[in-house]
Amino acid sequence: MRHSQRTDDQLRPVTIETGVNRYAEGSCLITFGHTKVLVTASVDESIPGWMRGKGQGWVTAEYGMLPRATHTRGRREAAAGKQSGRTQEIQRLIGRSLRAVVDLKALGERQVVLDCDVIQADGGTRTASITGAWVAMASALNYLRDEGVLKSDPILDQVAAVSCGICNGVPVLDLDYEEDSEAEADSNFVLTGAGQIVEVQATGEKRGFSRAEFDRLFSLAEIGCTELFALQKAALAAVKR
Amino acid sequence: MRHSQRTDDQLRPVTIETGVNRYAEGSCLITFGHTKVLVTASVDESIPGWMRGKGQGWVTAEYGMLPRATHTRGRREAAAGKQSGRTQEIQRLIGRSLRAVVDLKALGERQVVLDCDVIQADGGTRTASITGAWVAMASALNYLRDEGVLKSDPILDQVAAVSCGICNGVPVLDLDYEEDSEAEADSNFVLTGAGQIVEVQATGEKRGFSRAEFDRLFSLAEIGCTELFALQKAALAAVKR
Amino acid sequence: MRHSQRTDDQLRPVTIETGVNRYAEGSCLITFGHTKVLVTASVDESIPGWMRGKGQGWVTAEYGMLPRATHTRGRREAAAGKQSGRTQEIQRLIGRSLRAVVDLKALGERQVVLDCDVIQADGGTRTASITGAWVAMASALNYLRDEGVLKSDPILDQVAAVSCGICNGVPVLDLDYEEDSEAEADSNFVLTGAGQIVEVQATGEKRGFSRAEFDRLFSLAEIGCTELFALQKAALAAVKR
Amino acid sequence: MRHSQRTDDQLRPVTIETGVNRYAEGSCLITFGHTKVLVTASVDESIPGWMRGKGQGWVTAEYGMLPRATHTRGRREAAAGKQSGRTQEIQRLIGRSLRAVVDLKALGERQVVLDCDVIQADGGTRTASITGAWVAMASALNYLRDEGVLKSDPILDQVAAVSCGICNGVPVLDLDYEEDSEAEADSNFVLTGAGQIVEVQATGEKRGFSRAEFDRLFSLAEIGCTELFALQKAALAAVKR
Amino acid sequence: MRHSQRTDDQLRPVTIETGVNRYAEGSCLITFGHTKVLVTASVDESIPGWMRGKGQGWVTAEYGMLPRATHTRGRREAAAGKQSGRTQEIQRLIGRSLRAVVDLKALGERQVVLDCDVIQADGGTRTASITGAWVAMASALNYLRDEGVLKSDPILDQVAAVSCGICNGVPVLDLDYEEDSEAEADSNFVLTGAGQIVEVQATGEKRGFSRAEFDRLFSLAEIGCTELFALQKAALAAVKR
Amino acid sequence: MRHSQRTDDQLRPVTIETGVNRYAEGSCLITFGHTKVLVTASVDESIPGWMRGKGQGWVTAEYGMLPRATHTRGRREAAAGKQSGRTQEIQRLIGRSLRAVVDLKALGERQVVLDCDVIQADGGTRTASITGAWVAMASALNYLRDEGVLKSDPILDQVAAVSCGICNGVPVLDLDYEEDSEAEADSNFVLTGAGQIVEVQATGEKRGFSRAEFDRLFSLAEIGCTELFALQKAALAAVKR
């Protein structure tokens, strides 16, 4: 039995609250158990120089963690003067994941910037970020359609992400920090609403693991993402203007 | 009349919610109208090298603003690779203000780090940060006393801060962003519970201003801080362990 | 009695020598006792991009301290790779102070850069910088008028600055380093020739201080600035071309 | 048919030349077709402070690309003043991959640094780096055993890596640059000699892809790594002292 | 007798292999004994902004050393976040030396970037870089002439460089690392095919040295460069397209 | 005839004023015509870690230029966030030159830091810096002997520097900025009082130059340094305590 009393294929309680920032075109506060991520989607009508004149837009992401989001205080990256390799790796992943479900031509020459800031961390901050970023982005693009800025919907599909890992030899879904730090293997799956793979990352932490174990992690991720897609839809439907 | 219908000496609605971070020794979410600042107080038992062996502790602060805390998205300082002059100026002010009401010897050889992160900005982020930081710090130090780590209370007094400015020729209390960007003069007062001055900063933005006008700003600040002291006490009393 | 035998309301000997740099449009070497600051005013006909097309100019300042300006050698900021928070705070203050007395429209689309470099430091470097910067700037703008580049005088008023503090319980004017490091409270006042406030900064260093004490500091600053205005005028009148 | 006339499950010609640096404890030049990576393994008897006294060692990696390793010259990272997110991501991957097959306790309190410098790039630089790094590391550790510094062999298994992707709808092994830039999906597999997974990274570039497609990529990677393991063994056997 | 059995005026074995990079317009691997430098010449049709519209081109150089090019591993400059003073000094020297023999007008509005990367270092890396850079540059410019991009040859003369030093009181040619670290004086001479001086740098390391000793170093350099010019010509003649 | 009416072997007026900084152990303001450099020598009793326990000291230099030392304002290096390659090259040269005439063992385990800050630049800033740095250093070490800190004099000889160049085909001594920017060749000679070479740097700017021309530059430098040695002695003799 997991220390949290969850079954192997059970997500932590997930909540998605939209409209949490009065300035952003889209925003949400997403929680996976004790993990809390504030996501804003900002629409920027001026795109970077290298993108201009191509008749298409761009989606990018930035990720940050408040210094005391974690058990012990970490160093503030702005004070350190640079983003860690881990931060850059995560924000690149978030950006790729979201772009995978957006028609950049239909978006037009504008940029959507997704800021994912971790308010409190208990494992799964990157998967919560991706899952929440889709809601914030969809909310922002719906707003642009309501305003008549966009003619069609650039969103091609949903995208969500969840972690899986092997703890005490057992593949389990949605690791919290305690499980994550003990896991023999750790993985993140980013899947589309249609069940396609956007990104898979799996790492043996203490040992290599077998292809059979990997297949089980994959199946758990499919279970988890199916639940997340339903929660995303419900959150988006509840957005008020 | 002010655009918010407030009288000249009226604060915006202020709320202080404590216990908002499950790891930090003390924390609060403070709001001054639409301005929202998340403050955590982290106790670090290892102090910087230059402080060791002096039989006393230290209180310091860091300040940050989420990129979309503002009307239009600002650049993330961690991505820019450095903290702006404005950020450094504010976090130095917060640190000085808090140290003014702490007996560093009674604190012992440990450090309290106050992280003030602006979730949403509508003017007055530095004054809300100082006011909230006192609550988070007091909460953390009370916790240390409950745990028996501290024998006595290192806190000598309360400290709170509020902005005042001259708008359309009239001195008013607690400027929001709209007022702040139009103000002829802008000031921040940091006062103690006993009514002593910790810090005064006043700047003519569009014109110089007279000593009589300055005196009125000072009186408004005294009114505002008196209210803030009561709210701080109430928030601290409501902390649950 | 002060260690320097000065009365409470007495400035240190102040000298302002103009024309100390053969390339700069305006320059001076200002001394407040042992504090020596070299100020140059450089006129740049190309303004930053964000300023263009607005039909007005800009005034900005940079501040630096030679490594051995102080009792013990400090680290060179260029070698450290960044300007300290203190440096940035001071140069922002100098820029704000000077802009307060310039009609930026009358200046036209050009920039004046004031470089304030501390050759020797004995307290009051920022107030000497502001006071000297006005002379260097006025000298440069007079030169532009003599050359026919400017039709009218963009300078609206004089601006000068002085520090005051509470030492051994007594408010005194123009602190030197020894007084500054012992002071219970420290303040800087930036005032215009017309007696208006441009900037006030006051800080309790070892204790809070009362509004009555603050009022006395203010009065001392008015005495000091009155003397500085006369010295600025005399220095400017002595400029030779 | 692939533009290179290779079959779907065919590697490019792979060569591994050892002993290419007269100072390094281990080294090799590995080529995957036109991709050339120079790898050195440096043994450092002084480990970082945070590692000391734990009775174990560390293996880490750094990755770089010469500016003209690519079709058009890229910016030198040392001149840019920082390593890109991509570089950091790759060097973290190399380090994790190698540590997965080393008994850090048997290594003792010393560090092995693997420098992987890309001399020429035509796709697959990270997989060539990992595959070559194992040879350089093994060569260095054999040397330490020959010298009597190490009593036992800290290497637990081989590790190799290969990329796979979907090009024109067909899963293929070991993409070159031309294939990589056109691929619909791209993946990297890091496997051990025993067939265990160390790391899997798979990304949909232009579209999501199905689990069946993923499974085929996985099988191709197993084929490729099997060949690489044989080449590693042969290269290591040929090392001369 | 020198530890390498060389006579005082004898170079180490020098080899120059061209065409070592399949993308660069010109390239070579040059060795001076155990010192190996990989040089690429990249032609960039877009020149820096400050150069445009002047009807002439530019030649510049960058220099780097792989971390384990040396006896003990050095820090990677990209990881350190900056190029050392030594690196900048060397790359400025290489750029100046090459520009001295190029007609920048005949080059047209394009830039040649010479990347000199030290694969293995045993003294004389800057002189090998300059000598090899001329071959790589000449090879690239010949290619541009073959392609019809250039009408005339912008190369005015050859340029080569060699080090000389005083070891145990005796002036000797082309120091290796062991000699270099013991030398009483160290110098680098950059000469043209016509025997003109492009650059001379001579430094007393342990003691000053006399003008007579300097003259002998100069004569040795003339001997060394004469040999290098012949080797450059042979290498250039052997370039295949 | 030179534009300044000087003969070919004539220095500009040179002045050396000592005791210009009340805190530094040694200091001087040196002028070569319109070039003015402020030099301080700071004695630091704590040497860098890598130097400790060797029973000897160190001499090092830092160089800077005030932004408006030049005809048009240059960027402040502290604001730019790094020292230019030129700055680093110069300060390394100054340090090497001074160490050449100091017995580091006799200095004991302490460091002398020479800060050379250019107040106004008209060519020859590095040679003025070296020449002045010797005076400041000698003054500081004499002070240490007077205080009884040093038993013997660590200074072995004088060192001075001067530039020479070829202008309009004629070798001339001590170039000012106008000459320097037009010169066909430029050189700096650092010589000891005994006539030994410490450093020679000579560069063809617009063309290579012959060995005969170089020899004439060398002779001019010997003439110039002879005069500088006399001026150094006189300045040092005039130091008051």
Side-chain angles (χ1 to χ4, degrees):
Chain A
M1 187 46 103
R2 300 167 77 174
H3 80 96
S4 59
Q5 317 302 324
R6 284 189 282 154
T7 58
D8 299 349
D9 61 356
Q10 192 179 351
L11 293 174
R12 289 173 286 178
V14 172
T15 66
I16 308 177
E17 179 189 356
T18 56
V20 297
N21 177 302
R22 66 188 267 111
Y23 308 125
E25 285 75 12
S27 68
C28 75
L29 177 68
I30 186 166
T31 65
F32 277 29
H34 294 306
T35 291
K36 299 184 190 179
V37 185
L38 186 59
V39 188
T40 54
S42 298
V43 178
D44 187 350
E45 294 292 324
S46 71
I47 55 172
W50 58 271
M51 265 266 133
R52 271 172 224 150
K54 300 192 173 171
Q56 63 174 62
W58 192 242
V59 175
T60 189
E62 288 190 3
Y63 170 93
M65 204 181 255
L66 297 193
R68 196 55 195 273
T70 45
H71 287 74
T72 56
R73 185 178 182 275
R75 190 160 183 206
R76 184 178 291 266
E77 289 190 329
K82 64 173 190 171
Q83 294 179 301
S84 71
R86 179 186 173 275
T87 290
Q88 291 183 63
E89 201 169 316
I90 292 174
Q91 63 193 13
R92 283 154 54 93
L93 170 64
I94 301 170
R96 276 200 309 274
S97 298
L98 274 291
R99 283 193 298 275
V101 294
V102 174
D103 177 347
L104 296 176
K105 284 214 189 323
L107 180 57
E109 288 210 357
R110 57 182 56 84
Q111 187 174 229
V112 181
V113 182
L114 297 156
D115 285 292
C116 302
D117 284 278
V118 180
I119 302 299
Q120 194 168 274
D122 187 32
T125 64
R126 80 187 72 187
T127 53
S129 293
I130 291 167
T131 305
W134 185 85
V135 174
M137 181 180 72
S139 172
L141 295 181
N142 283 350
Y143 168 73
L144 290 192
R145 284 207 294 160
D146 292 350
E147 295 289 305
V149 176
L150 286 177
K151 298 274 154 61
S152 63
D153 188 356
I155 295 193
L156 303 170
D157 200 349
Q158 285 176 264
V159 68
V162 73
S163 76
C164 306
I166 305 176
C167 296
N168 301 317
V170 182
V172 294
L173 178 65
D174 186 25
L175 281 61
D176 61 25
Y177 177 78
E178 187 175 331
E179 289 172 323
D180 190 50
S181 47
E182 297 290 313
E184 292 126 50
D186 184 22
S187 64
N188 292 291
F189 290 83
V190 185
L191 304 178
T192 66
Q196 297 286 92
I197 300 164
V198 170
E199 183 108 10
V200 172
Q201 296 179 335
T203 307
E205 296 288 344
K206 297 209 168 57
R207 59 168 174 91
F209 56 105
S210 70
R211 193 162 169 177
E213 286 173 316
F214 179 83
D215 283 339
R216 174 61 184 154
L217 295 177
F218 210 143
S219 298
L220 288 171
E222 289 174 332
I223 294 167
C225 284
T226 300
E227 287 188 53
L228 293 173
F229 292 132
L231 290 162
Q232 286 179 327
K233 273 188 191 155
L236 193 61
V239 173
K240 286 172 205 145
R241 294 290 164 198
Chain B
M1 185 47 102
R2 302 168 76 174
H3 80 96
S4 59
Q5 317 301 323
R6 282 188 283 153
T7 57
D8 300 348
D9 62 354
Q10 192 179 352
L11 293 175
R12 290 173 286 176
V14 172
T15 66
I16 308 175
E17 179 189 357
T18 56
V20 298
N21 177 301
R22 66 189 267 110
Y23 308 127
E25 285 75 13
S27 68
C28 74
L29 177 68
I30 185 165
T31 67
F32 276 28
H34 294 305
T35 291
K36 297 184 191 180
V37 185
L38 186 59
V39 187
T40 55
S42 298
V43 179
D44 187 350
E45 293 293 325
S46 70
I47 54 171
W50 58 270
M51 264 267 131
R52 269 172 226 151
K54 300 194 174 170
Q56 64 174 62
W58 193 242
V59 175
T60 189
E62 288 190 3
Y63 171 93
M65 203 182 257
L66 297 194
R68 195 56 194 272
T70 45
H71 287 74
T72 56
R73 185 178 183 275
R75 188 159 186 208
R76 186 177 289 266
E77 290 190 329
K82 64 173 188 171
Q83 294 180 301
S84 70
R86 179 186 172 275
T87 291
Q88 291 182 63
E89 201 169 317
I90 292 175
Q91 62 194 12
R92 283 155 52 95
L93 170 64
I94 302 171
R96 275 199 311 273
S97 299
L98 274 289
R99 283 193 297 276
V101 294
V102 173
D103 177 346
L104 295 175
K105 284 215 188 324
L107 180 56
E109 289 210 355
R110 56 181 58 84
Q111 186 174 228
V112 181
V113 183
L114 296 157
D115 285 291
C116 302
D117 284 278
V118 179
I119 301 299
Q120 195 167 272
D122 187 32
T125 64
R126 81 188 70 189
T127 53
S129 294
I130 291 166
T131 306
W134 185 85
V135 175
M137 181 180 73
S139 172
L141 296 182
N142 283 350
Y143 168 74
L144 291 192
R145 284 207 296 160
D146 291 351
E147 295 289 305
V149 175
L150 286 178
K151 298 275 154 61
S152 63
D153 188 356
I155 294 192
L156 303 170
D157 200 349
Q158 285 176 265
V159 69
V162 74
S163 75
C164 306
I166 305 176
C167 296
N168 301 318
V170 182
V172 294
L173 178 63
D174 186 24
L175 281 60
D176 61 26
Y177 177 78
E178 189 177 327
E179 290 172 322
D180 190 50
S181 46
E182 297 291 313
E184 292 125 52
D186 184 22
S187 64
N188 292 289
F189 290 84
V190 185
L191 303 178
T192 66
Q196 296 285 92
I197 301 164
V198 170
E199 183 110 9
V200 172
Q201 296 179 334
T203 308
E205 295 287 345
K206 298 209 169 56
R207 59 167 174 90
F209 56 105
S210 70
R211 193 162 170 178
E213 287 174 316
F214 179 83
D215 283 339
R216 172 63 183 155
L217 295 176
F218 209 142
S219 298
L220 288 171
E222 289 174 332
I223 293 168
C225 284
T226 301
E227 286 188 53
L228 293 172
F229 292 133
L231 290 162
Q232 286 179 327
K233 271 189 192 155
L236 194 61
V239 173
K240 286 171 202 146
R241 293 288 166 197
Chain C
M1 187 48 103
R2 300 168 77 175
H3 80 96
S4 58
Q5 316 302 323
R6 284 190 282 154
T7 58
D8 299 348
D9 60 356
Q10 192 179 353
L11 293 174
R12 290 173 286 177
V14 172
T15 66
I16 308 177
E17 180 188 356
T18 56
V20 297
N21 177 301
R22 65 189 268 110
Y23 309 126
E25 286 75 11
S27 67
C28 74
L29 176 68
I30 186 165
T31 65
F32 276 28
H34 294 306
T35 291
K36 299 183 191 180
V37 185
L38 186 59
V39 187
T40 55
S42 298
V43 178
D44 187 351
E45 293 292 324
S46 70
I47 55 172
W50 59 270
M51 265 265 134
R52 271 173 225 150
K54 300 193 174 171
Q56 65 173 62
W58 193 241
V59 175
T60 189
E62 288 189 4
Y63 171 93
M65 204 181 257
L66 296 194
R68 195 55 194 273
T70 44
H71 287 74
T72 57
R73 186 178 182 274
R75 192 166 181 200
R76 186 178 290 266
E77 290 190 329
K82 63 174 190 171
Q83 293 179 301
S84 71
R86 178 187 171 276
T87 290
Q88 292 183 63
E89 201 169 316
I90 292 175
Q91 64 193 13
R92 283 154 54 93
L93 170 63
I94 301 170
R96 273 200 312 273
S97 299
L98 274 289
R99 283 193 297 276
V101 293
V102 174
D103 177 347
L104 295 175
K105 285 216 189 320
L107 181 57
E109 288 210 357
R110 56 182 57 83
Q111 187 174 229
V112 181
V113 183
L114 297 156
D115 285 291
C116 301
D117 284 276
V118 180
I119 302 298
Q120 194 167 276
D122 188 33
T125 65
R126 79 188 70 188
T127 53
S129 294
I130 291 167
T131 305
W134 185 85
V135 175
M137 182 180 73
S139 172
L141 296 182
N142 283 350
Y143 168 73
L144 291 191
R145 284 205 296 159
D146 291 349
E147 295 288 306
V149 176
L150 286 178
K151 297 275 155 62
S152 63
D153 188 355
I155 296 193
L156 304 169
D157 200 349
Q158 284 176 267
V159 69
V162 74
S163 76
C164 305
I166 305 175
C167 296
N168 301 316
V170 182
V172 295
L173 177 64
D174 185 26
L175 281 60
D176 62 25
Y177 177 78
E178 188 177 328
E179 290 172 323
D180 190 50
S181 47
E182 296 291 313
E184 291 125 51
D186 184 21
S187 64
N188 293 291
F189 290 84
V190 185
L191 303 178
T192 67
Q196 296 285 93
I197 301 164
V198 170
E199 184 108 10
V200 172
Q201 296 179 335
T203 307
E205 295 288 343
K206 297 209 168 59
R207 58 168 175 92
F209 57 105
S210 70
R211 193 163 169 178
E213 286 173 315
F214 178 83
D215 283 339
R216 173 64 184 153
L217 295 176
F218 209 142
S219 298
L220 287 171
E222 289 173 332
I223 293 168
C225 285
T226 300
E227 286 187 54
L228 293 172
F229 292 132
L231 290 163
Q232 285 179 327
K233 272 188 192 156
L236 194 60
V239 173
K240 287 172 205 146
R241 294 285 167 200
Chain D
M1 185 48 101
R2 300 167 78 174
H3 80 97
S4 59
Q5 316 302 322
R6 283 189 283 154
T7 58
D8 299 349
D9 61 355
Q10 191 179 353
L11 292 175
R12 289 173 287 177
V14 173
T15 65
I16 308 176
E17 180 188 355
T18 56
V20 296
N21 177 301
R22 66 189 266 110
Y23 308 127
E25 285 75 13
S27 67
C28 74
L29 177 68
I30 186 165
T31 66
F32 276 29
H34 293 306
T35 291
K36 298 184 191 180
V37 185
L38 186 58
V39 188
T40 55
S42 298
V43 179
D44 186 351
E45 295 292 324
S46 69
I47 54 171
W50 58 270
M51 264 267 132
R52 268 171 227 153
K54 299 194 174 173
Q56 64 173 60
W58 192 242
V59 174
T60 189
E62 288 190 3
Y63 171 93
M65 203 181 257
L66 297 193
R68 195 58 194 272
T70 45
H71 286 75
T72 55
R73 185 177 182 275
R75 189 160 183 206
R76 186 178 290 267
E77 289 189 330
K82 63 173 188 170
Q83 295 179 300
S84 70
R86 177 185 173 277
T87 291
Q88 291 182 63
E89 200 168 318
I90 292 174
Q91 64 193 12
R92 283 154 54 95
L93 170 64
I94 302 170
R96 276 200 309 275
S97 298
L98 274 290
R99 284 193 297 276
V101 294
V102 173
D103 177 347
L104 296 175
K105 283 214 186 328
L107 180 57
E109 289 210 357
R110 56 181 59 83
Q111 186 174 227
V112 181
V113 182
L114 296 155
D115 284 291
C116 301
D117 284 277
V118 180
I119 301 298
Q120 194 168 270
D122 187 33
T125 64
R126 81 187 70 188
T127 54
S129 294
I130 291 166
T131 305
W134 185 85
V135 174
M137 181 181 72
S139 172
L141 296 181
N142 283 351
Y143 168 74
L144 291 192
R145 284 206 295 158
D146 291 351
E147 295 289 304
V149 176
L150 287 177
K151 298 277 156 58
S152 63
D153 188 355
I155 296 191
L156 304 168
D157 200 348
Q158 284 175 266
V159 69
V162 74
S163 76
C164 305
I166 304 176
C167 296
N168 302 318
V170 183
V172 294
L173 178 64
D174 186 24
L175 280 61
D176 61 25
Y177 177 78
E178 188 177 327
E179 290 173 323
D180 190 49
S181 46
E182 296 291 313
E184 292 125 52
D186 184 22
S187 63
N188 293 291
F189 290 83
V190 185
L191 303 179
T192 66
Q196 297 284 92
I197 301 164
V198 170
E199 183 109 9
V200 172
Q201 296 179 335
T203 307
E205 295 287 345
K206 299 209 166 54
R207 59 168 175 89
F209 56 104
S210 70
R211 193 162 170 177
E213 286 173 315
F214 179 84
D215 283 340
R216 173 62 185 154
L217 295 176
F218 210 141
S219 297
L220 288 171
E222 289 174 331
I223 293 168
C225 284
T226 301
E227 285 187 55
L228 294 172
F229 291 133
L231 290 162
Q232 286 179 327
K233 272 188 190 157
L236 194 60
V239 173
K240 284 169 206 149
R241 294 289 165 197
Chain E
M1 186 46 105
R2 300 168 77 175
H3 81 96
S4 59
Q5 316 301 323
R6 284 189 281 155
T7 57
D8 299 349
D9 61 355
Q10 192 179 352
L11 292 175
R12 290 174 285 178
V14 172
T15 67
I16 308 176
E17 180 189 356
T18 55
V20 297
N21 177 300
R22 66 189 267 111
Y23 308 126
E25 285 75 13
S27 68
C28 75
L29 177 68
I30 186 165
T31 65
F32 276 29
H34 294 306
T35 290
K36 298 184 191 179
V37 184
L38 187 59
V39 187
T40 55
S42 298
V43 178
D44 186 351
E45 294 292 325
S46 69
I47 54 171
W50 58 270
M51 265 265 131
R52 270 171 225 151
K54 300 194 174 171
Q56 64 174 62
W58 193 241
V59 175
T60 189
E62 288 190 5
Y63 171 93
M65 204 182 256
L66 297 194
R68 195 57 195 273
T70 44
H71 287 75
T72 55
R73 185 178 182 275
R75 189 161 183 204
R76 184 177 291 268
E77 289 189 330
K82 64 174 189 171
Q83 294 179 301
S84 71
R86 179 186 171 275
T87 290
Q88 292 183 63
E89 200 169 317
I90 292 175
Q91 63 194 12
R92 283 155 54 93
L93 170 64
I94 301 170
R96 275 199 311 274
S97 298
L98 274 289
R99 283 193 298 275
V101 294
V102 173
D103 177 347
L104 295 175
K105 285 217 187 319
L107 180 58
E109 288 210 356
R110 56 182 59 84
Q111 186 173 230
V112 181
V113 183
L114 297 156
D115 285 292
C116 302
D117 284 278
V118 180
I119 301 300
Q120 194 167 273
D122 187 32
T125 65
R126 81 188 70 187
T127 53
S129 294
I130 291 167
T131 305
W134 185 85
V135 174
M137 182 181 72
S139 172
L141 295 182
N142 283 350
Y143 168 74
L144 290 191
R145 284 206 295 159
D146 290 352
E147 295 288 306
V149 176
L150 287 178
K151 297 272 153 62
S152 63
D153 188 356
I155 294 192
L156 304 170
D157 200 350
Q158 285 176 265
V159 70
V162 73
S163 75
C164 306
I166 304 176
C167 296
N168 301 318
V170 183
V172 295
L173 178 64
D174 186 25
L175 281 61
D176 62 24
Y177 177 78
E178 188 176 329
E179 289 172 323
D180 190 51
S181 47
E182 296 291 314
E184 291 125 52
D186 184 22
S187 63
N188 293 290
F189 289 84
V190 185
L191 303 179
T192 67
Q196 297 285 91
I197 300 164
V198 171
E199 183 110 10
V200 171
Q201 296 179 334
T203 307
E205 296 286 344
K206 297 207 167 57
R207 58 167 174 90
F209 57 104
S210 70
R211 193 162 168 179
E213 286 172 317
F214 179 84
D215 283 339
R216 173 63 184 154
L217 295 177
F218 209 141
S219 298
L220 288 171
E222 290 174 332
I223 293 168
C225 285
T226 300
E227 287 188 53
L228 293 172
F229 292 133
L231 290 162
Q232 286 180 328
K233 273 189 190 155
L236 194 61
V239 171
K240 288 172 203 143
R241 294 287 166 197
Chain F
M1 186 47 102
R2 301 168 77 173
H3 79 97
S4 58
Q5 316 304 322
R6 283 189 283 154
T7 57
D8 300 350
D9 61 354
Q10 191 179 353
L11 293 175
R12 290 174 285 178
V14 172
T15 65
I16 308 176
E17 179 189 358
T18 55
V20 297
N21 177 300
R22 67 189 267 110
Y23 309 127
E25 284 76 12
S27 67
C28 74
L29 177 68
I30 186 166
T31 66
F32 276 28
H34 294 306
T35 291
K36 298 184 192 180
V37 185
L38 186 59
V39 188
T40 54
S42 298
V43 178
D44 186 351
E45 294 293 324
S46 70
I47 54 172
W50 59 270
M51 264 268 133
R52 270 172 225 149
K54 299 193 175 172
Q56 63 174 62
W58 192 241
V59 175
T60 189
E62 287 190 4
Y63 171 93
M65 203 181 257
L66 296 194
R68 196 57 195 273
T70 46
H71 287 75
T72 56
R73 186 179 182 274
R75 189 161 184 205
R76 186 178 289 267
E77 290 191 327
K82 63 175 187 170
Q83 294 179 301
S84 71
R86 179 186 173 275
T87 291
Q88 291 182 63
E89 202 169 316
I90 292 174
Q91 64 194 11
R92 284 154 55 94
L93 170 64
I94 302 170
R96 275 200 311 273
S97 299
L98 274 289
R99 283 193 297 276
V101 294
V102 173
D103 177 347
L104 296 175
K105 284 216 188 325
L107 181 57
E109 290 210 354
R110 57 182 57 84
Q111 186 173 228
V112 181
V113 183
L114 296 155
D115 285 290
C116 301
D117 285 276
V118 180
I119 301 299
Q120 194 168 272
D122 187 33
T125 64
R126 80 188 70 188
T127 53
S129 294
I130 291 167
T131 305
W134 185 84
V135 175
M137 181 180 74
S139 172
L141 296 181
N142 283 350
Y143 168 73
L144 291 191
R145 283 205 296 159
D146 290 351
E147 295 289 306
V149 176
L150 286 177
K151 298 275 155 61
S152 63
D153 188 356
I155 295 192
L156 303 169
D157 200 348
Q158 285 176 264
V159 69
V162 74
S163 76
C164 305
I166 305 175
C167 297
N168 300 318
V170 182
V172 294
L173 178 64
D174 186 24
L175 282 59
D176 61 25
Y177 177 78
E178 188 176 327
E179 291 172 321
D180 190 50
S181 47
E182 296 291 312
E184 292 125 51
D186 184 23
S187 64
N188 293 291
F189 290 83
V190 185
L191 304 178
T192 67
Q196 298 284 93
I197 301 165
V198 170
E199 184 109 11
V200 172
Q201 296 179 337
T203 307
E205 294 288 344
K206 298 208 167 57
R207 58 168 175 93
F209 57 105
S210 70
R211 192 161 169 179
E213 287 173 316
F214 179 84
D215 283 339
R216 174 63 184 154
L217 295 176
F218 209 140
S219 297
L220 288 171
E222 289 174 332
I223 293 167
C225 285
T226 300
E227 286 188 54
L228 294 172
F229 292 133
L231 290 162
Q232 287 179 326
K233 272 189 192 156
L236 194 60
V239 173
K240 286 173 204 143
R241 294 289 167 198

